Amino acid sequence: MGNSAFVYSEFYDNIISLIDCICKALIDAYCCVVWTKPFLDRKSKAWLTGGVYAAIMLFFDFIPWKAPVLAYVLGAAAIFFVMFLTDREYIAQKLFLAITYFCLRSQAYRTAIYSLGGIYEILIRSFISMQASDLSWFLLTVFMVFCGYDLLILICFNGAVRCILWSYGRRRELMNSKEFLLLSVPSLLGAVSYGLTSYYSYIYERDTGGKYVYDLIGSYDLIMLLFTLFSFAVIFVMTYVFRQWKTQQEEDKQREIFSTQMTDLQSHISEVERLYRDLRGLRHDMGNHLMTLEQLYESGEYEAAEQYAGTLRREIQNVSGDVASGNPVTDVILSGKKKEMEEKEISFVCDFHYPMTDSVNSFDVSIILNNALNNAIEAVEREQAGSDQTAHISLSSYRRKNMYIIEISNSYTGNLEPDTTSGLPRSSKGGEGHGFGLTGIRHVARKYLGDIEIGKEICEGEERCVLRVMLQITEAVPLQRGPEDRKHLDALQDNPCQK
């Protein structure tokens, strides 16, 4: 009868152990999905990552394995490789996520063990003193495993994951080596401490014939609980401080860009004021110039009159500029960019016209033109390096119904690698995503309920990078005509660029 009871108890203990392993694998998988989902471009990839991790952990649970910590290390490595194979972007961030997941898991499990250790010891001693039946011991085991331990693991693990996600931010972003070390060191230290304490606890129990470390140090559970909470607090504070630092850094860059834009605007305003003064002076002297021409013609000095008229024509051209877009601010910007391109031997074709409406601010248009043309010049300079071919940049504007569109294209034979988060191409200048130039252009476009479009196209038989900026104009207005009565862009011919 005693042997029968023993077999019965062992059978149900095995069932409880099996269900417990499955529950822990499901908890790990769920928390892994919550942890990785914000940093993958598809939810299905997060579920795949969690599923692979759970399968690996179940596999290690059912094979003879004398190094459980190593099994968890391999599980964390599997998380990284699954994320890497399904989404090969932001590699350093994915490695940080895998390391931190391993640390958070160990902290959650240790918190559950050390929190309930004293309670379970009191319950076990009470049952021993009462000489409880096998059924009572079975119910106590079920309660301890499922209603206590597994439930507390779920609460601690899920809570830790969501806290770190809140402090770090749910943002896919590039991470350089210094940032990776800064964020990963606390998690690595927590993981190493988990491995060391687990190893020495195992060695102590093995060498003492099954004695628990708590028998040697009565407050061991409390000490380890406080250490685990402190380790989690360090990770939380580090990720929070890092996010605040990154946010401040981005704000500083935005302020720097805004300051540069304001400096450019002041320069443009000064140039417009100079242009206005020159035109006013020219208008003041125009009567004298006309009188001089009349006297030359009356006296029959036709050759001298033609030379004088030519000089006057050149002076007028120098004062008015060689770009006539219909707005003095954009005239100044485009004239300056044209001169810059001439010095760098870049072919520039400009067919830009400013819209005749008060709903479009010339300062906003200047931001678009400055950033777009600067990007184009930098791109063609990189293309020209080591090449004897002439680079081309073209600028045009036109209207499609209520959309005012600015189009900039430049010679480009490379590949555009889009950032899956923003949809903008990554910059090759600093590695920080797509840079703030295109971000500033998109910000202006969305201010006018529009957006930007950028891609590779074939223009006039040449590979080009084409940027289109779309601004919504509420009223139906024509585009500005220049002094030379340039055509309205409402009658623009078909776009020569084809995707």
Side-chain angles (χ1 to χ4, degrees):
M1 189 69 175
N3 290 337
S4 177
F6 175 79
V7 173
Y8 176 83
S9 176
E10 185 179 18
F11 172 76
Y12 278 98
D13 281 344
N14 291 334
I15 294 297
I16 291 173
S17 177
L18 174 62
I19 298 175
D20 179 47
C21 289
I22 296 174
C23 286
K24 288 185 175 64
L26 293 176
I27 292 171
D28 291 347
Y30 169 74
C31 292
C32 182
V33 171
V34 174
W35 178 244
T36 59
K37 184 168 61 176
F39 307 101
L40 296 171
D41 55 354
R42 293 182 183 177
K43 294 181 181 179
S44 58
K45 295 179 180 179
W47 284 104
L48 176 62
T49 304
V52 170
Y53 179 81
I56 291 176
M57 290 296 100
L58 281 174
F59 173 76
F60 286 131
D61 283 335
F62 291 105
I63 65 171
W65 190 259
K66 295 183 179 180
V69 175
L70 181 57
Y72 300 136
V73 172
L74 294 177
I79 290 176
F80 168 75
F81 281 111
V82 172
M83 288 193 295
F84 171 73
L85 293 175
T86 57
D87 183 9
R88 300 190 180 187
E89 294 184 319
Y90 314 111
I91 307 303
Q93 185 183 58
K94 288 177 171 58
L95 187 56
F96 156 73
L97 293 173
I99 295 172
T100 305
Y101 177 85
F102 171 77
C103 184
L104 294 179
R105 183 193 182 281
S106 64
Q107 290 172 347
Y109 275 66
R110 289 200 293 181
T111 300
I113 293 173
Y114 301 138
S115 298
L116 300 176
I119 298 175
Y120 288 164
E121 184 179 357
I122 294 173
L123 289 175
I124 291 173
R125 288 178 179 175
S126 300
F127 270 60
I128 293 175
S129 63
M130 293 186 301
Q131 296 182 349
S133 64
D134 289 344
L135 179 61
S136 299
W137 279 105
F138 173 74
L139 294 176
L140 175 63
T141 303
V142 172
F143 172 78
M144 290 170 59
V145 172
F146 301 114
C147 299
Y149 185 45
D150 287 349
L151 181 60
L152 187 57
I153 287 175
L154 175 61
I155 294 173
C156 293
F157 201 178
N158 185 50
V161 164
R162 293 185 183 275
C163 283
I164 301 301
L165 283 178
W166 178 84
S167 63
Y168 174 68
R170 302 167 183 262
R171 183 182 304 181
R172 289 162 54 87
E173 61 186 358
L174 290 173
M175 183 183 294
N176 59 41
S177 58
K178 293 181 180 179
E179 294 171 346
F180 171 75
L181 289 175
L182 179 68
L183 288 174
S184 299
V185 165
S187 297
L188 285 171
L189 292 177
V192 170
S193 70
Y194 169 71
L196 290 176
T197 54
S198 299
Y199 174 75
Y200 284 112
S201 296
Y202 167 76
I203 294 297
Y204 179 80
E205 293 176 17
R206 185 195 65 184
D207 294 345
T208 56
K211 290 184 179 181
Y212 181 47
V213 180
Y214 183 83
D215 299 331
L216 180 66
I217 305 175
S219 58
Y220 177 79
D221 283 355
L222 177 60
I223 293 173
M224 293 307 299
L225 175 61
L226 293 176
F227 177 79
T228 300
L229 294 177
F230 176 76
S231 178
F232 169 77
V234 171
I235 297 175
F236 177 83
V237 171
M238 184 61 71
T239 51
Y240 179 79
V241 171
F242 172 80
R243 179 51 54 204
Q244 297 301 311
W245 172 69
K246 288 288 287 186
T247 301
Q248 182 64 42
Q249 191 179 50
E250 291 173 359
E251 291 176 353
D252 290 342
K253 288 183 179 179
Q254 291 284 15
R255 280 194 290 269
E256 182 180 354
I257 290 172
F258 182 75
S259 176
T260 302
Q261 291 172 346
M262 291 301 298
T263 302
D264 291 340
L265 179 62
Q266 291 174 354
S267 174
H268 299 331
I269 291 175
S270 299
E271 187 66 20
V272 170
E273 290 176 345
R274 183 198 64 77
L275 176 63
Y276 176 73
R277 287 195 300 269
D278 291 344
L279 287 173
R280 186 173 58 181
L282 182 62
R283 184 178 60 183
H284 178 269
D285 296 335
M286 189 57 66
N288 295 329
H289 291 310
L290 292 175
M291 185 181 299
T292 301
L293 283 172
E294 289 178 356
Q295 292 175 353
L296 290 173
Y297 278 112
E298 288 177 357
S299 60
E301 299 180 8
Y302 301 112
E303 184 176 352
E306 289 180 0
Q307 293 178 354
Y308 192 89
T311 302
L312 181 59
R313 190 182 302 109
R314 286 192 296 272
E315 184 177 348
I316 293 174
Q317 182 66 29
N318 291 333
V319 171
S320 61
D322 53 359
V323 176
S325 65
N327 182 276
V329 175
T330 55
D331 284 350
V332 170
I333 295 173
L334 296 179
S335 296
K337 296 301 178 185
K338 183 176 180 180
K339 291 178 182 177
E340 180 181 352
M341 293 183 210
E342 289 175 351
E343 293 173 357
K344 296 180 178 180
E345 298 181 350
I346 299 172
S347 173
F348 181 48
V349 176
C350 179
D351 194 15
F352 176 82
H353 299 259
Y354 195 87
M356 296 176 60
T357 175
D358 294 333
S359 61
V360 176
N361 191 299
S362 59
F363 176 60
D364 293 330
V365 177
S366 72
I367 292 176
I368 295 172
L369 294 178
N370 265 315
N371 285 316
L373 292 175
N374 285 338
N375 288 345
I377 292 172
E378 291 176 5
V380 298
E381 282 185 312
R382 290 193 295 270
E383 287 281 305
Q384 277 184 320
S387 174
D388 56 355
Q389 295 182 352
T390 302
H392 301 87
I393 295 177
S394 63
L395 167 67
S396 63
S397 62
Y398 52 94
R399 196 174 65 246
R400 287 289 180 266
K401 296 183 179 180
N402 64 332
M403 297 301 295
Y404 173 62
I405 301 173
I406 301 173
E407 182 178 300
I408 304 98
S409 69
N410 59 269
S411 305
Y412 190 74
T413 58
N415 295 321
L416 294 176
E417 297 183 6
D419 186 314
T420 55
T421 302
S422 66
L424 300 177
R426 295 198 188 116
S427 171
S428 60
K429 291 180 285 185
E432 292 291 336
H434 46 73
F436 287 93
L438 289 176
T439 304
I441 295 174
R442 170 174 276 180
H443 176 74
V444 172
R446 289 179 174 176
K447 176 181 176 181
Y448 292 89
L449 304 179
D451 207 339
I452 69 175
E453 177 187 69
I454 185 168
K456 285 285 294 294
E457 302 181 9
I458 302 298
C459 300
E460 299 178 354
E462 180 186 41
E463 284 187 281
R464 293 193 185 185
C465 175
V466 180
L467 168 66
R468 293 185 181 89
V469 185
M470 293 159 280
L471 311 178
Q472 184 169 310
I473 301 177
T474 54
E475 64 268 34
V477 294
L479 300 179
Q480 287 277 20
R481 294 173 182 254
E484 299 176 3
D485 196 26
R486 301 173 69 180
K487 66 180 180 180
H488 278 256
L489 292 178
D490 295 300
L492 186 74
Q493 298 176 355
D494 292 337
N495 188 352
C497 299
Q498 298 179 354
K499 296 183 180 180

